[in-house]
């Protein structure tokens, strides 16, 4: 048993979908969440900048004595995981690889071949999804596209705004005419748009990467005998931007009354 918390971080609110998944799969685990809301979105930034941000946040979480870290940001997961794993001596689990593995398994079990992926611009440019699918099952057809307006609009609280619905329709119109079997939500912000996306792609199954990442984390903790069995559960939230705005938005996402603390980067 290991009662130390799990670190979870994202560019903003999106990683709270990982927290929601954790509350179902690992309800006894403590966690420390970091939302880098002062610098969101990451999706249009270059890889060196994303690497710097990731290093700063992992350094902070390591200073909080976490036992493992879930990188709840698809952009960081797709672009700089190798360098983070090389630099830091603690388990760091990303959201993308488990999500891809899960999708491939479902495709093979159900004989499905057509996959769509929506993600940030930097993730799409990395070619990571295309590379992983080609390596693991080249028979699967994959169509990856960027949705750069989603994250900033979600961070502004526009999830139920008609403008966002119209933008989503424009992004996904091709898949209405030529349907896909599964849609991977390649950014942890995107599950917050599930009702909108499902209304557009009616027969497509949406795949939330957060679920697979949390299940992978749970398996790792169990195999290494470090699952938390302590009755004392720590839940700390840190943000680099507006505390009041995050507290308000995060309650809508998690259903919890959250009082975040401020974090500063050197």
């Amino acid at each position: 048993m290991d009662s130390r918390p799990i670190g979870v971080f994202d560019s903003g609110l999106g990683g709270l979908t990982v927290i929601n998944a954790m509350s179902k799969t690992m309800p006894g685990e403590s966690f420390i969440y970091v939302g880098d809301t002062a610098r969101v979105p990451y999706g249009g930034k270059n890889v060196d900048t994303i690497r710097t941000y990731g290093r700063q946040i992992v350094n902070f979480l390591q200073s909080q004595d976490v036992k493992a870290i879930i990188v709840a940001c698809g952009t960081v997961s797709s672009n700089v995981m190798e360098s983070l794993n090389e630099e830091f001596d603690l388990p760091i689990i990303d959201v993308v690889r488990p999500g891809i593995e899960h999708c491939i398994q479902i495709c093979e079990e159900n004989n499905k071949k057509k996959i769509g992926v929506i993600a940030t611009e930097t993730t799409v440019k990395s070619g990571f999804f295309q590379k992983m699918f080609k390596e693991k099952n080249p028979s699967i057809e994959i169509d990856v596209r960027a949705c750069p307006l989603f994250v900033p609009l979600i961070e502004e609280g526009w999830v139920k705004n008609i403008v966002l619905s119209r933008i989503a329709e424009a992004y996904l119109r091709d898949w209405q005419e030529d349907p896909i079997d599964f849609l991977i939500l390649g950014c942890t912000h995107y599950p917050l748009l599930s009702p909108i996306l499902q209304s557009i792609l009616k027969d497509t199954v949406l795949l939330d990467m957060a679920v697979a990442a949390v299940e992978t984390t749970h398996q790792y903790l169990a195999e290494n005998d470090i699952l938390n069995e302590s009755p004392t559960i720590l839940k700390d939230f840190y943000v680099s931007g507006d505390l009041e705005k995050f507290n308000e938005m995060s309650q809508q996402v998690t259903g919890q009354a959250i009082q975040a603390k401020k974090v500063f980067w050197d």
Side-chain angles (χ1 to χ4, degrees):
M1 186 188 79
D2 188 336
S3 61
R4 291 180 298 163
I6 299 169
V8 181
F9 78 87
D10 182 46
S11 61
L13 291 165
L16 295 174
T17 60
V18 172
I19 298 300
N20 287 343
M22 283 181 63
S23 68
K24 297 176 182 177
T25 304
M26 299 185 289
E29 287 292 344
S30 301
F31 63 81
I32 297 176
Y33 182 85
V34 176
D36 195 11
T37 52
R39 303 187 295 200
V40 68
Y42 283 7
K45 295 178 170 62
N46 64 59
V47 174
D48 287 339
T49 299
I50 294 164
R51 184 179 296 108
T52 297
Y53 292 174
R55 183 183 297 119
Q56 288 173 330
I57 298 172
V58 173
N59 265 320
F60 171 77
L61 288 170
Q62 193 172 43
S63 75
Q64 303 299 303
D65 194 28
V66 298
K67 62 185 176 185
I69 293 175
I70 301 176
V71 179
C73 175
T75 303
V76 174
S77 297
S78 301
N79 288 275
V80 300
M81 283 302 300
E82 288 184 4
S83 61
L84 291 180
N85 279 310
E86 288 173 1
E87 183 173 348
F88 295 96
D89 186 23
L90 79 167
I92 305 177
I93 299 162
D94 70 277
V95 292
V96 170
R97 287 164 182 82
I100 291 174
E101 294 280 0
H102 177 61
C103 181
I104 290 174
Q105 180 183 350
I106 294 176
C107 286
E108 292 174 348
E109 289 174 351
N110 295 277
N111 194 30
K112 300 295 185 181
K113 299 291 186 181
K114 298 183 69 173
I115 307 299
V117 179
I118 52 175
T120 66
E121 287 182 288
T122 302
T123 295
V124 173
K125 288 177 182 177
S126 74
F128 186 79
F129 278 93
Q130 299 93 317
K131 176 184 175 183
M132 291 291 291
F133 272 93
K134 185 176 180 180
E135 289 178 356
K136 294 182 178 296
N137 190 330
S139 70
I140 295 175
E141 301 174 31
I142 179 169
D143 183 3
V144 184
R145 61 186 59 179
C147 300
L149 293 176
F150 279 172
V151 171
L153 290 175
I154 291 169
E155 290 286 330
E156 287 300 318
W158 283 32
V159 171
K160 296 181 180 180
N161 192 292
I162 190 65
V163 172
L164 200 151
S165 295
R166 294 291 180 263
I167 291 170
E169 288 173 0
Y171 283 151
L172 307 181
R173 185 173 293 117
D174 290 349
W175 289 332
Q176 286 181 301
E177 300 169 0
D178 183 17
I180 51 179
D181 297 313
F182 298 101
L183 176 64
I184 297 179
L185 309 181
C187 169
T188 53
H189 282 75
Y190 296 172
L192 302 176
L193 302 180
S194 290
I196 293 173
L197 302 177
Q198 197 69 79
S199 70
I200 298 169
L201 304 177
K202 301 184 185 305
D203 297 323
T204 297
V205 178
L206 307 184
L207 298 180
D208 180 354
M209 298 190 303
V211 175
V214 169
E215 289 178 351
T216 297
T217 305
H218 181 269
Q219 181 179 355
Y220 174 87
L221 297 179
E223 290 174 351
N224 289 274
D225 197 27
I226 54 175
L227 275 172
N228 187 14
E229 298 176 1
S230 170
T232 302
I233 299 176
L234 167 71
K235 296 182 178 180
D236 271 347
F237 296 83
Y238 290 87
V239 295
S240 57
D242 188 316
L243 291 176
E244 184 177 349
K245 182 178 180 181
F246 178 84
N247 290 339
E248 179 183 350
M249 292 294 298
S250 61
Q251 185 167 6
Q252 297 177 31
V253 176
T254 66
Q256 303 176 36
I258 290 170
Q259 294 297 319
K261 305 172 186 176
K262 191 80 168 182
V263 64
F264 300 92
W265 312 123
D266 295 333

